[in-house]
Amino acid sequence: MSETSDIQPLQPLIVALRRLPGVGVKTAQRMAFHLMQRDQDGARALAQALVQTLDSVVHCQRCHTFSHQTMCPICSDAGRDAARLCVVETPADLAAMERTGAYRGYYFVLMGRISPMDGVGAADLGLSQLLARAQDGQVQEVILATSFTTEGEATAHMATELLKARGLQVTRLARGVPVGSELEYVDLGTIAHALVERR
Amino acid sequence: MSETSDIQPLQPLIVALRRLPGVGVKTAQRMAFHLMQRDQDGARALAQALVQTLDSVVHCQRCHTFSHQTMCPICSDAGRDAARLCVVETPADLAAMERTGAYRGYYFVLMGRISPMDGVGAADLGLSQLLARAQDGQVQEVILATSFTTEGEATAHMATELLKARGLQVTRLARGVPVGSELEYVDLGTIAHALVERR
Ligand SMILES: [Zn+2]
Ligand SMILES: [Zn+2]
């Protein structure tokens, strides 16, 4: 195929769009065409959002979630319960926990879960940072709120081993959360219930 | 929901990603997380590709395809057959025609097709520009190579009416192209065959 960028000027954009997860050639072509032909404002907005996010978002040094500051608003809030530390997979899961209104402790965000398929192992999740965080002398209970999927369970299992070996009390959200689901999309009542019945 | 951008710093990026066709909230969240957590180089590359494409790509003033120049390489090539004008829906369809090696005329790219669902009517396709282009005094045959889908057929039908009313000879790719398929994904042999048997 002699697809020079002269005949296909959208080719560099198509290549870049393919780096988005789940986007193949056909989808990337459709996206590039749509942006350039029907929504150049959208293309400009996306470029701007990417640059601004890259420039302004860091990881909270305490809980690892995305944040505009070196310490996120939750970690900076001295009024929360320092005896509880809730471990979630993603910032979206943290947001779901917050929306229940049933939790007043702090968080540690793994920013992923163990996934051999995607090459994400224990080291990538920064479990050693979790151990350090949990041993601050104030945390009395680590609540594991990883997903109830195979990978989420494997992550919880590994975290439990490591934490218990250091004498920390570890609980897991009650299995009221539907098996196979991702926390972020579970209704708030179920999450709140599972939190109360944690074991 | 109290999702301030303080707790959800990726929210502006998620909103921007949702402007991509076929991308809902869940997909946009996954994309934003992936880019910021696992592929910041990809995020930077995408922002750059968007800006460069917006800055450098225009429509060829003669055939309307995307181009780096005001006149695209094909329209600038004086060695082609000025008696044939092939009408396609998208630059990707043009590229597919070119790859067959079976066509040496010029093109007119509609940059879409009639689609009442998406609010794309005859005016949006610039059919009047097609009429002007086809009446340059050199074009003897207009070959309609729009898709063999309902919308592509409707587009071909409308173009045929308008072109014939001006005394132009109009042909359509032979129906060797599988019905319901988009030209871009048809194997080259089928396209070449359909071109020879155009009616
Ligand atoms: Zn934090
Ligand atoms: Zn051109």
Side-chain angles (χ1 to χ4, degrees):
Chain A
M1 298 195 200
S2 61
E3 267 169 36
T4 66
S5 86
D6 254 8
I7 284 194
Q8 295 269 61
L10 263 47
Q11 198 57 29
L13 178 55
I14 291 165
V15 169
L17 284 165
R18 287 204 59 194
R19 290 181 78 154
L20 293 170
V23 173
V25 179
K26 182 170 176 170
T27 304
Q29 280 184 344
R30 194 183 315 131
M31 286 173 167
F33 181 81
H34 176 85
L35 288 175
M36 293 307 295
Q37 185 65 18
R38 312 221 185 286
D39 191 16
Q40 294 208 357
D41 283 349
R44 224 165 264 120
L46 179 54
Q48 210 162 48
L50 284 163
V51 169
Q52 283 179 354
T53 305
L54 284 164
D55 287 351
S56 70
V57 175
V58 295
H59 289 97
C60 169
Q61 62 184 18
R62 203 163 161 79
C63 74
H64 286 194
T65 197
F66 290 125
S67 171
H68 287 303
Q69 299 93 27
T70 50
M71 186 97 88
C72 79
I74 291 175
C75 289
S76 305
D77 179 358
R80 299 182 73 114
D81 178 3
R84 321 259 160 260
L85 184 68
C86 180
V87 179
V88 293
E89 294 175 359
T90 67
D93 292 336
L94 184 159
M97 281 299 282
E98 283 296 287
R99 284 200 298 274
T100 68
Y103 181 69
R104 291 296 302 162
Y106 291 97
Y107 293 93
F108 188 88
V109 186
L110 295 170
M111 300 305 271
R113 55 189 171 193
I114 289 171
S115 174
M117 291 266 291
D118 304 325
V120 180
D124 304 297
L125 295 182
L127 286 176
S128 55
Q129 288 99 315
L130 166 60
L131 293 181
R133 172 69 184 86
Q135 294 175 105
D136 70 344
Q138 297 196 275
V139 172
Q140 289 167 25
E141 177 188 8
V142 179
I143 303 164
L144 297 177
T146 56
S147 295
F148 283 83
T149 59
T150 310
E151 294 172 345
E153 294 277 23
T155 305
H157 182 76
M158 181 163 298
T160 302
E161 299 284 298
L162 294 167
L163 291 160
K164 283 199 171 154
R166 275 139 191 98
L168 288 155
Q169 191 200 338
V170 181
T171 58
R172 179 96 169 96
L173 284 196
R175 208 178 267 279
V177 176
V179 171
S181 63
E182 299 189 85
L183 202 62
E184 176 185 353
Y185 303 105
V186 174
D187 70 286
L188 307 186
T190 303
I191 297 181
H193 196 75
L195 185 69
V196 171
E197 295 196 350
R198 67 184 182 268
R199 50 182 172 74
Chain B
M1 300 194 202
S2 61
E3 267 168 38
T4 66
S5 87
D6 254 7
I7 284 196
Q8 295 269 60
L10 263 47
Q11 198 57 30
L13 178 55
I14 291 165
V15 169
L17 284 165
R18 287 205 59 193
R19 290 182 77 153
L20 293 169
V23 173
V25 179
K26 182 170 178 171
T27 304
Q29 280 184 342
R30 194 183 315 130
M31 287 174 167
F33 181 81
H34 176 85
L35 287 175
M36 293 307 295
Q37 185 65 18
R38 312 222 184 285
D39 191 15
Q40 294 208 356
D41 284 349
R44 225 165 264 119
L46 179 54
Q48 209 162 47
L50 284 164
V51 169
Q52 282 179 353
T53 306
L54 284 164
D55 286 351
S56 69
V57 174
V58 295
H59 288 97
C60 169
Q61 61 184 19
R62 204 164 160 79
C63 74
H64 286 195
T65 197
F66 290 125
S67 170
H68 288 302
Q69 301 93 26
T70 50
M71 187 96 89
C72 79
I74 292 176
C75 288
S76 305
D77 179 357
R80 298 183 73 115
D81 178 2
R84 320 259 161 261
L85 184 68
C86 180
V87 179
V88 293
E89 293 174 1
T90 67
D93 291 335
L94 184 159
M97 282 297 284
E98 282 297 285
R99 284 200 298 273
T100 69
Y103 181 70
R104 290 296 302 161
Y106 292 97
Y107 293 93
F108 188 88
V109 187
L110 295 170
M111 301 305 272
R113 55 189 171 191
I114 289 170
S115 174
M117 291 266 291
D118 304 325
V120 180
D124 303 297
L125 295 181
L127 287 176
S128 55
Q129 287 99 316
L130 167 59
L131 292 181
R133 172 69 185 87
Q135 292 175 285
D136 70 344
Q138 296 196 277
V139 172
Q140 287 167 27
E141 176 189 7
V142 179
I143 303 165
L144 297 177
T146 56
S147 295
F148 283 84
T149 58
T150 310
E151 294 172 344
E153 293 278 23
T155 306
H157 182 76
M158 181 162 300
T160 302
E161 298 284 296
L162 293 167
L163 291 160
K164 283 198 171 158
R166 274 139 191 99
L168 289 155
Q169 192 200 338
V170 181
T171 58
R172 180 94 169 95
L173 285 194
R175 207 179 267 277
V177 177
V179 172
S181 62
E182 299 189 84
L183 202 63
E184 178 184 352
Y185 304 104
V186 174
D187 70 287
L188 306 186
T190 302
I191 297 182
H193 196 75
L195 185 68
V196 170
E197 294 197 351
R198 67 183 181 268
R199 52 184 169 71

